Amino acid sequence: MLGKGVVGGGGGPKAPKPSFVSYVRPEEIHTNEKEVAEKEITLHLLPGEQLLCEASTVLKYVQEDSCQCGVYGRLVCTDFKIAFLGDNESALDNDETHFKNKVIGENDITLHCVDQIYGVFDEKKKTLFGQLKKYPEKLIIHCKDLRVFHFCLRYTKEEEVKRIVSGIIHHTQAPKLLKRLFLFSYATAAQNNTATNPKNHTVMFDTLEDWCWELERTKGNMKFKAVSANEGYRICGRLPAYFVVPTPLPEEDVQRFQGHGIPIWCWSCHNGSALLKMSALPKEQDDGILQIQKSFLDGIYKTIHRPPYETVKTEDLSSNFLSLQEIQTAYSKFKQLFLIDNSTEFWDTDIKWFSLLESSSWLDIIRRCLKKGIEITECLEAQNMNVLLLEENASDFCCLLSSLVQVMMDPYCRTIPGFQSLIQKEWVMGGHCFLDRCNHLRQNDKEEVPVFLLFLDCVWQLVHQYPPAFEFTETYLTVLSDSLYIPIFSTFFFNSPHQKDTNMHQRQLSLPLTQSKSSPKRGFFREETDHLIKNLLGKRISKLINSSDELQDNFREFYDSWHSKPMDYHGVLLPHIEGPEIKVWAQRYLRWIPEAQILGGGRVATMSKLLEMMEEVQHLQEKIEERHHSQEALQAEAPCLLRNSARLSSLFPFALHQRPSSKPVLPTSGWKALGDEEDLAKREDEFVDLGDV
């Protein structure tokens, strides 16, 4: 029964309905039509946003099986979002403990955030796409941030149903042109209002000076140099205008093969070792060109293997690591655990939840990423070796692992400015194909592969295990993951800096992105790996890499030795990767499921309780020193301080804090003894213990 609670902080009484929201049943809709018209809520549009279609007298269901009730209002579709404007729900704005996005409201769904659309016909749920001959009586929208919306259209006018359903399907499912994204409409309309935040210290890495600053910060400027060979993208659009290479490397070599086969610097360790990445050379059948490539790679090898450079270890990520197909398949299975339509479906999966979680392989993929990060860290930190990450385009797993290693080794990357600068450097300037991987254009030959979300999940494991080591919390990571689907800034909507600069003519508070060539199979999945590097450098690479047994021994010795030492939050961080240590990111994946939260439990409630107790102790010390108040006064004041933490949720700040409620819906007798808020406050310790399991 506590399966979800054990993994990610679930398993508790259902969150009650806010007492200030007026809920109605479908049959009550007609009696309230006049009142709905009188209380019509204004739709707030962003600069450049246009209303496309709308429907009135729509009922948004609450997630509850026992009574099909909800909030009535208007359902609208713009070129930016789907929005439900419901009666009385504006009262939520007064709740200071509830998270509020400054761009989208609680009942807003950006068009890019829509995952699947379903219609209910005669109690049967069917996927909606293309032109419909018959329109549903109920609309269900599954979102990429794992929200699920249910809209009853039974009492909506037929013409309005056709317009709103057809409009939503077309604007969320049909393939798009890049220039038709709302990003461009907003940028044009808001360009006069865009100003740089002076408090934003994110390094954009769009100038030579930014790269020189990073080299100096990491003390890598003695062995590496920043080059401007690709200024104006005259070599290729895949690379940024400026980047860093080994100092002895001639600039003319950078220009050969369009930047392929060039060791590009990512980061330098305090001991002088460095993390590098390289994209594979293009395949050629001509023997003459192959010989030229071999000679070129021999020169590159000699450059990075002679003093002052340390021994090089090559990580071939194209053949010895994950594949994009594995990530796509795993996440497709994993997210289904959290796209819950109702309470019954939630509890039906409870008994087999762990087996479904394991079969998805998502947590195992996270473990493999963390383990590979530790292996690279061991080479850099303990063996004083350079590490060269090798990948076809150096824009997926190179981005993930280089970023993860820097978070583990560089405390600057665990600050907010440092983490944002890291994303800008390794992901945006590194040419990660956000446009393709998120499939923002809804291309039929592509599927979403959440490589960046995988990175955030890996970072969350570190934040969860070592909170004091980070300047930001898990909420920052959760909001960052949501930003993937909000087309306001250009950070996550291009494939490269070149593509971004070509299409956006002014600089925003955003991160730029490159047009990469997709392989013919499913857009960008490529089954065969590039064997050219292995054929040309195989013998030399084999000399650089330790045998697998020796590598495993070194890894285990380094891992065990580090965990046996006192914790230094300003030094290297190695995550625990044993089975139970890799957990589900509860705040992101479970935040919209009322049944999965622990009222009065979780880390935030625990911290709140500790702060309250510290405040109470300080208060008592002051009272003892003053000796002005009686013992009765102390006893009367103490209980008031202990109630606030009991009102928090394990999914804070995305779940409403506790209010007077109806009976819990857990189908087990163990929770029947739970009563109202007063009783919950008394039992808070029990809830906290469950949340920490």
Side-chain angles (χ1 to χ4, degrees), residues 206-376:
D206 55 359
T207 66
L208 201 63
E209 290 73 22
D210 287 348
W211 288 100
C212 292
W213 176 86
E214 180 72 354
L215 275 172
E216 185 176 350
R217 185 187 72 83
T218 60
K219 297 180 173 57
N221 49 356
M222 298 298 294
K223 301 178 181 180
F224 299 92
K225 63 181 179 181
V227 296
S228 58
N230 198 37
E231 197 169 33
Y233 306 102
R234 57 178 177 264
I235 297 177
C236 73
R238 181 181 53 83
L239 294 173
Y242 311 98
F243 50 91
V244 175
V245 297
T247 300
L249 190 70
E251 192 153 324
E252 56 267 20
D253 283 355
V254 177
Q255 302 177 23
R256 299 178 67 182
F257 303 110
Q258 295 186 320
H260 288 275
I262 296 297
I264 295 178
W265 176 86
C266 298
W267 180 77
S268 288
C269 185
H270 63 87
N271 59 16
S273 60
L275 183 61
L276 308 166
K277 63 182 178 182
M278 179 191 288
S279 58
L281 284 169
K283 289 186 176 182
E284 293 289 348
Q285 303 300 324
D286 186 274
D287 291 339
I289 297 180
L290 282 173
Q291 188 60 38
I292 293 174
Q293 290 181 340
K294 181 181 184 303
S295 175
F296 173 73
L297 288 175
D298 281 342
I300 295 296
Y301 166 79
K302 292 176 182 177
T303 297
I304 63 176
H305 195 258
R306 67 190 180 196
Y309 300 99
E310 291 73 14
T311 305
V312 179
K313 178 183 183 296
T314 301
E315 288 281 357
D316 188 351
L317 304 178
S318 296
S319 59
N320 300 323
F321 196 51
L322 298 165
S323 68
L324 294 175
Q325 182 69 69
E326 284 182 89
I327 295 176
Q328 190 274 328
T329 302
Y331 187 71
S332 294
K333 294 179 181 178
F334 177 72
K335 69 181 180 181
Q336 295 305 319
L337 293 169
F338 312 102
L339 290 168
I340 304 297
D341 282 349
N342 50 57
S343 298
T344 300
E345 184 179 338
F346 178 84
W347 293 115
D348 284 346
T349 62
D350 188 60
I351 193 171
K352 54 184 178 180
W353 201 81
F354 273 122
S355 60
L356 292 172
L357 176 63
E358 183 179 7
S359 65
S360 74
S361 299
W362 182 252
L363 295 187
D364 185 58
I365 285 176
I366 293 172
R367 180 181 293 105
R368 290 172 65 183
C369 292
L370 293 173
K371 185 174 184 294
K372 182 62 71 175
I374 296 173
E375 291 175 359
I376 296 171

Side-chain angles (χ1 to χ4, degrees), residues 188-205:
T188 301
Q191 59 183 342
N192 295 329
N193 300 326
T194 303
T196 302
N197 184 354
K199 296 182 180 180
N200 182 12
H201 302 298
T202 302
V203 182
M204 302 302 290
F205 293 99

